[in-house]
Every structure is written in structure tokens, then in C-alpha cells.
Amino acid sequence: MERRAQYDDALATALATTGPSPSAPSYALSVDLGLFTPQALPGSDEDDDPDFYSYECRCSGQYVVIREQLEKGVEVVETQQKRQAKQALFDAAKPLRRAREKAQKKEKIAEKRKLIELGVLERPVSKRQNGNRPRRPYGARIVVDMGFDEKMTDKEIKSMGSQLGFCYAANRSSPTPVPFLVTSLNGRLKHRMDTVTHKAHESWREVEWWEEGYEELWADEVAGGEGEGTMVEGGEEKEVALVDLGTLKGKPRARSRREDVVYLTGDSPNVLTSLEEGKTYILGGIVDRNRYKLLCYDKANSSGIQHAQLPISEFLPEMTTRKILTVNQVFEIMLQWVEKRDWKEALQTVMPTRKYRHFNVYTDLVSWV
């Protein structure tokens, strides 16, 4: 109490000479803590320290200071009635806030509609219209290589799962979908997809899932899942491995010649000019915040397959920084090229001008570059 009295005296002297600070909290009444009445909660031991202190206000309310507030050095408190009045005022203003928010939303919708009529914005395609569009599947396969599980943190594993979902959604809504294969799904990401998301990926349509690596694409004997089937090729029956997971379960696994496989990596000196039907393009499925260098480039060389990078520098010279994209961004760029056959338009569709003119490194990075 003595220290409190000394503080009150010093504060009063300071206010008398300099006046209150503009940034200091305002208060209507200054009361010494010694005038507060110690109070105990029901059931408390009489020998214990008071649980709180109270002081009767002239408005018939009570100023209440709890022990934790004293320990934190809280100096300004309100009466219970004042807090209740503030809450009541806030609740009473809720309909007005909601009305204002609705009015602002209507203004934005009207502004967007006007821009569409002026031709500044494209008219959005409804989900029904999008679903009724004719789909023309394209024969260039895209593979996401998940063989980097041990190089990612749990948070990055979660992000990678989300990116796979974005890839699937983009392919499903595209008028020119491509065969989609996910390989090396055998680590923490598979465990997360089996448990946290309750195997929702197994219902993804037209997606092929492998626990094995992409090298099985050109292997003489593909390691089968639940078993092998037979197919007739050149008048001869051959044993083939079958897909053992997802909506394609029981169908023959994808195959490709080694010379028709291309690993996409920004470290490659080769520049991709087009996506050819009959070829397979691999994306490195890793979120690593740019920790690992030449990861996909070295993996492509060790596998003895071709490698290339997207023609970003050629068609978006404004991007002067290192071109680091997420897996789903690369996937969507490739889908856009298949649909429009124009790299510049495809790149600009996925990466708007406001992003690539002042390009910032994304929080989640993928080592395909």
C-alpha cells in the first residue's frame, strides 16, 4: 500500500505540472487502492489473500479489481454497469452493421456487373455452364512425383496435400483434361490422406495412384498392386500390372517409354515449347521453401530422362526474379496451354499481372524450379 501511495503522489504531481499525456487512458475518478474493500470468493480460506477488491461508485455500481489485474499492473478499471452498457450498445448496433455490410456487398456486385457490361471483366461461367461444356481429353500425361516425403516438415506435407487437391479440381473443371498420375504416395502424406481426410482422394475421378516411383512407367515388369491382369498386344497376351487404388482400381497401369518422359525443373537449360500427346511430364511434389537446390534436376539425370523448364523468361520477361511456383500453379499453366495453345496467355491467366510485375516469393515453394 505504501508503494501505491507513493505512486499516486508522484502521478498527481506529474499531472499537475505537465497535464495528462494524449496517449494515456482517460478516467473519470482516481481512487487509491487503499480505499477498495478486500473481498473473498465463497468457500475461500479467511487466511488467504483477497480474491478481489471492490469500491462503490456514485452510480451505484461497483469498481472491481481482481488479483491478476494487480499483478499485471492494471491501473484503470470500469464499473460493471459501464461494461454492460457498452455490450448492450454493441448488440443494439448489430442490425445496423449487418445492413451496412449488405449495402457494401450490393455496391461491389453492381460495380462488377458494370465492369462486365463495359467489357473490362469477362463474364463468369456458372458451374452448370462449365459442367455442360464439351470436354476434349488431351493425351499428354502429368505426373506428380511424391518421392520427397522425408525432406518436408509436417506443415509442408499438409500444404502439399492441398496442392494436390487444387490440381485435381483444375483438371476436373478443364475442357481439356489430361491423364493425372501421382507416384511414390507411401509416406506421411499418404497417412494424412488416409486418416485426416478419411481417404477422400480415393474417390477422385480419373486419378491414378501409385505407391511406387515413376520409374515403373518404363519398367519391363511393372510391380503390381493387388495382382496382374492380361492384355493382348500384337496378337500375344501379356501380363500387366493393375491399379490398386482409387476410381481406376483394376485397370492397367499407365506406361511410357523412358525417352517420352520429361521432368520439369527450372534448373534445366532446356526450354519447353509445347506439350506433346503421348509424352509424360513430371512435376516434383515438394514444398521446401527453396531449401534444396537442383533436387529435381539431379533426380532427372540420375533416372536418365529428359528435363526442361517452362518458357517463363521468354513469355514473361517482366519476372526478373527466380521463378518459383507451387505444384498446382505449374499444373494449371500446363492445362491452360493445352486449352489455349498460347504460353503467354496461359502464364498470365495463372499469374495475374499484379503478381508477376512485382513478384514475391510465395510462402509455399516447390522445388520444380
Side-chain angles (χ1 to χ4, degrees):
M1 294 299 180
E2 182 179 351
R3 293 182 61 187
R4 177 69 193 193
Q6 293 175 354
Y7 174 81
D8 290 338
D9 292 341
L11 180 61
T13 303
L15 291 175
T17 56
T18 63
S21 170
S23 61
S26 59
Y27 51 88
L29 183 66
S30 177
V31 181
D32 191 292
L33 186 61
L35 299 179
F36 279 67
T37 303
Q39 303 284 357
L41 294 173
S44 298
D45 193 334
E46 295 182 357
D47 296 332
D48 291 341
D49 293 333
D51 295 301
F52 64 94
Y53 300 83
S54 65
Y55 180 82
E56 186 174 353
C57 176
R58 56 192 174 190
C59 68
S60 74
Q62 292 282 334
Y63 289 104
V64 176
V65 181
I66 63 176
R67 188 188 308 166
E68 287 76 8
Q69 288 177 309
L70 293 176
E71 293 173 352
K72 293 179 180 179
V74 174
E75 299 175 358
V76 179
V77 295
E78 299 174 338
T79 64
Q80 294 174 339
Q81 284 79 1
K82 189 171 183 180
R83 285 195 295 271
Q84 293 170 358
K86 280 187 175 182
Q87 184 62 43
L89 184 62
F90 180 81
D91 294 340
K94 186 175 181 179
L96 295 177
R97 291 197 305 274
R98 294 293 178 265
R100 184 169 61 250
E101 291 170 359
K102 287 182 179 180
Q104 291 174 345
K105 187 176 181 179
K106 287 182 178 179
E107 288 177 3
K108 290 182 178 179
I109 293 174
E111 182 180 358
K112 185 176 181 180
R113 187 180 293 116
K114 185 176 180 180
L115 292 174
I116 291 174
E117 292 174 354
L118 294 174
V120 178
L121 295 179
E122 293 184 3
R123 188 177 299 277
V125 179
S126 67
K127 290 185 178 180
R128 178 176 296 179
Q129 291 173 329
N130 188 53
N132 293 334
R133 287 191 302 174
R135 306 184 81 214
R136 306 180 307 278
Y138 192 71
R141 180 181 293 105
I142 298 182
V143 177
V144 178
D145 171 23
M146 297 304 308
F148 305 97
D149 194 272
E150 74 285 354
K151 296 184 181 298
M152 291 187 283
T153 65
D154 290 340
K155 183 177 179 180
E156 291 166 346
I157 288 286
K158 179 180 178 181
S159 177
M160 189 62 247
S162 299
Q163 292 183 33
L164 280 180
F166 292 139
C167 292
Y168 170 69
N171 202 38
R172 286 288 298 163
S173 61
S174 173
T176 53
V178 298
F180 184 15
L181 168 63
V182 180
T183 62
S184 298
L185 186 70
N186 51 25
R188 285 174 296 158
L189 179 58
K190 184 179 188 303
H191 176 74
R192 174 180 173 78
M193 296 175 79
D194 287 345
T195 56
V196 178
T197 59
H198 307 289
K199 299 187 177 182
H201 64 290
E202 294 187 13
S203 64
W204 292 5
R205 299 172 65 180
E206 303 301 320
V207 180
E208 194 170 339
W209 304 92
W210 289 6
E211 292 188 2
E212 295 78 19
Y214 61 82
E215 297 86 356
E216 301 298 330
L217 282 166
W218 60 81
D220 292 335
E221 295 182 0
V222 182
E226 289 188 340
E228 294 185 343
T230 60
M231 65 178 296
V232 178
E233 183 177 328
E236 299 181 0
E237 286 190 356
K238 291 187 176 181
E239 296 291 331
V240 295
L242 304 178
V243 178
D244 59 1
L245 182 66
T247 58
L248 297 180
K249 183 176 180 179
K251 294 187 177 182
R253 286 190 172 194
R255 297 298 303 273
S256 182
R257 298 183 305 171
R258 188 195 298 259
E259 56 266 30
D260 291 333
V261 179
V262 182
Y263 211 122
L264 294 186
T265 165
D267 296 310
S268 173
N270 308 317
V271 178
L272 195 67
T273 57
S274 64
L275 302 178
E276 300 179 33
E277 289 195 281
K279 287 200 172 184
T280 297
Y281 300 89
I282 303 178
L283 310 182
I286 176 172
V287 178
D288 67 349
R289 290 175 174 78
N290 206 24
R291 293 192 301 272
Y292 304 106
K293 309 297 182 183
L294 303 175
L295 194 61
C296 296
Y297 178 75
D298 290 341
K299 190 169 187 178
N301 286 328
S302 64
S303 298
I305 58 177
Q306 301 178 66
H307 45 73
Q309 63 170 293
L310 294 181
I312 297 177
S313 299
E314 179 180 351
F315 291 96
L316 285 186
E318 300 91 336
M319 285 184 62
T320 56
T321 58
R322 198 165 186 258
K323 292 80 177 175
I324 300 176
L325 307 176
T326 59
V327 171
N328 58 287
Q329 284 175 326
V330 181
F331 195 101
E332 291 176 33
I333 289 170
M334 297 170 75
L335 286 177
Q336 288 293 327
W337 182 90
V338 171
E339 179 182 354
K340 301 171 181 176
R341 304 303 170 92
D342 185 302
W343 281 116
K344 187 175 184 67
E345 189 174 353
L347 290 163
Q348 289 181 343
T349 300
V350 178
M351 296 184 294
T353 305
R354 65 179 180 276
K355 290 187 178 181
Y356 64 74
R357 281 185 178 172
H358 304 285
F359 191 80
N360 293 320
V361 178
Y362 293 89
T363 303
D364 291 335
L365 306 178
V366 60
S367 75
W368 80 274
V369 293

